[in-house]
Each structure stands twice: as C-alpha cells, then as structure tokens.
Amino acid sequence: QVQLVESGGGSVQSGGSLTLSCAVSGDTSSWYCMVWFRQAPGKGREGLASITNDGRSVYDDSIKGRFNISLDSAKNTVYLQMNNLKPDDAAMYYCAADQRAFIACTHWRTLFNSWGRGTQVTVST
C-alpha cells in the first residue's frame, strides 16, 4: 500500500484556478492508478479524473476541458490543475490509488485501496 497526502486546496473566486497535489509515499512501485474524487456537503462522492503510471488519463464529462490531471513520476506526485472554477466545484477533494490497469482505473465507483485525507476547495461568487 501507499500513503497519499493531498495539498493545494484553498479559497478562490469564481473563474479562478487552483492546482491540487497528491504526494505518494511508501511502496511507490505498487501503484499503477490514481484517481481524483470530490465530495460536496450533502452530495455523493464523484470521480473526476484518473491517470495510470504510464500517463494515460480519463476525465469525467463534468470537468472535461477545465481540469487537467498529470503525473510527475520523479516526484511521485499527481496533480489536478483546475481552471475556470465555479461555485459548484466547491468540495473536499481526495486522491485515491490502487494497483489497476488503465480500464479498471476508470471504474470509479469501485473501492480503491489507498486514500488521502482530502483538501478543501472553496469557490466564491
């Protein structure tokens, strides 16, 4: 298993940008798949984007074109760049990791092995 620590959350105005980071430690050779999720108060958790350690990525339609997931293998860090943020994007953002190949990595409703504690994003009008 790996340990995940998210950072980069904060408060921005509508239309602003943030870049979230998910630092991976522990047995870093054991993960192949990383997913960013978010959960707003009173709502269910939703998958946003996933990336495998060969760099292939998939996005949910709700954020496609505004968010970008990327991987820095040397730093064992996965990023989520978020642009043109809207009030509906306000939520706790989590990263999760697992040993999965590309297709399985897109099954966001299944249980992932490792989770971070989250980083809060607030968007004001």
Side-chain angles (χ1 to χ4, degrees), residues 7-73:
S7 62
S11 182
V12 295
Q13 289 189 324
S14 182
S17 299
L18 282 174
T19 298
L20 307 182
S21 301
C22 178
V24 185
S25 61
D27 186 5
T28 56
S29 66
S30 68
W31 76 272
Y32 306 126
C33 160
M34 181 77 75
V35 184
W36 279 101
F37 292 89
R38 69 184 177 190
Q39 187 165 15
K43 295 186 177 180
R45 186 175 62 209
E46 57 177 325
L48 301 174
S50 60
I51 190 166
T52 45
N53 60 0
D54 59 358
R56 289 185 288 171
S57 58
V58 172
Y59 295 89
D60 185 76
D61 287 344
S62 67
I63 54 91
K64 197 176 292 184
R66 295 191 299 125
F67 291 11
N68 182 67
I69 190 170
S70 61
L71 164 66
D72 186 332
S73 297

Side-chain angles (χ1 to χ4, degrees), residues 108-122:
W108 298 338
R109 294 184 182 273
T110 58
L111 183 63
F112 282 72
N113 277 341
S114 301
W115 288 83
R117 294 189 174 185
T119 185
Q120 182 70 46
V121 173
T122 304

Side-chain angles (χ1 to χ4, degrees), residues 70-91:
S70 61
L71 164 66
D72 186 332
S73 297
K75 295 182 178 180
N76 287 313
T77 301
V78 174
Y79 302 96
L80 185 68
Q81 181 179 355
M82 307 186 295
N83 300 315
N84 191 21
L85 283 162
K86 306 173 182 179
D88 284 349
D89 294 317

